Amino acid sequence: MKNLFLTGCLAMLMFSCSKKENTPVDNTSETVSSEPAKSSLSGDQIIETLDCSGCHSVNERMIGPSYQEIAEKYSDKDIELLVSKIIEGGSGVWGGVPMPAHSQVSKEDAKKKW
């Protein structure tokens, strides 16, 4: 069960959002939040809409580690770290190819199981 949860969360490693300040729209005083909208999609649906499968698969290493490898390396206590890696990107843990940031993904979505 732990590995399934981590696999789902890690699969979402390609999702997330960092808090950004509100930015003005046009020349009005209106502001629009740059925070990602919460998604009603499931974890696997979110993965399908992003570029995750270009580098990750369930059981086989590709450009990046498989979701299974990630689940074996990390535990439940690492969820926040993994969410930040999805959102902000990262490098150096699994080799020389950096994982790009996925700031369009909310923290809530990055934690979803698939």
Side-chain angles (χ1 to χ4, degrees):
M1 183 67 169
K2 174 185 149 188
N3 278 346
L4 181 59
F5 174 75
L6 286 175
T7 300
C9 288
L10 299 172
M12 298 313 300
L13 252 185
M14 306 311 262
F15 270 65
S16 143
C17 77
S18 55
K19 270 200 167 195
K20 297 181 182 174
E21 295 182 27
N22 292 338
T23 55
V25 177
D26 298 324
N27 291 327
T28 68
S29 60
E30 231 182 291
T31 59
V32 173
S33 174
S34 57
E35 285 256 349
K38 292 181 183 176
S39 169
S40 62
L41 298 175
S42 67
D44 59 338
Q45 290 171 321
I46 293 169
I47 290 170
E48 289 175 16
T49 66
L50 295 179
D51 59 355
C52 307
S53 62
C55 297
H56 302 278
S57 73
V58 174
N59 295 312
E60 295 180 33
R61 180 179 280 263
M62 294 174 55
I63 294 170
S66 70
Y67 300 132
Q68 185 61 43
E69 287 178 289
I70 297 167
E72 290 169 0
K73 182 176 180 94
Y74 296 99
S75 69
D76 291 341
K77 67 179 172 44
D78 300 311
I79 298 303
E80 292 301 321
L81 168 72
L82 296 172
V83 166
S84 72
K85 292 286 187 176
I86 294 167
I87 295 169
E88 299 168 15
S91 64
V93 177
W94 296 95
V97 178
M99 186 176 88
H102 293 81
S103 59
Q104 72 273 34
V105 179
S106 70
K107 287 183 179 183
E108 181 181 284
D109 282 347
K111 292 179 181 180
K112 286 184 178 177
K113 298 178 186 179
W114 60 290

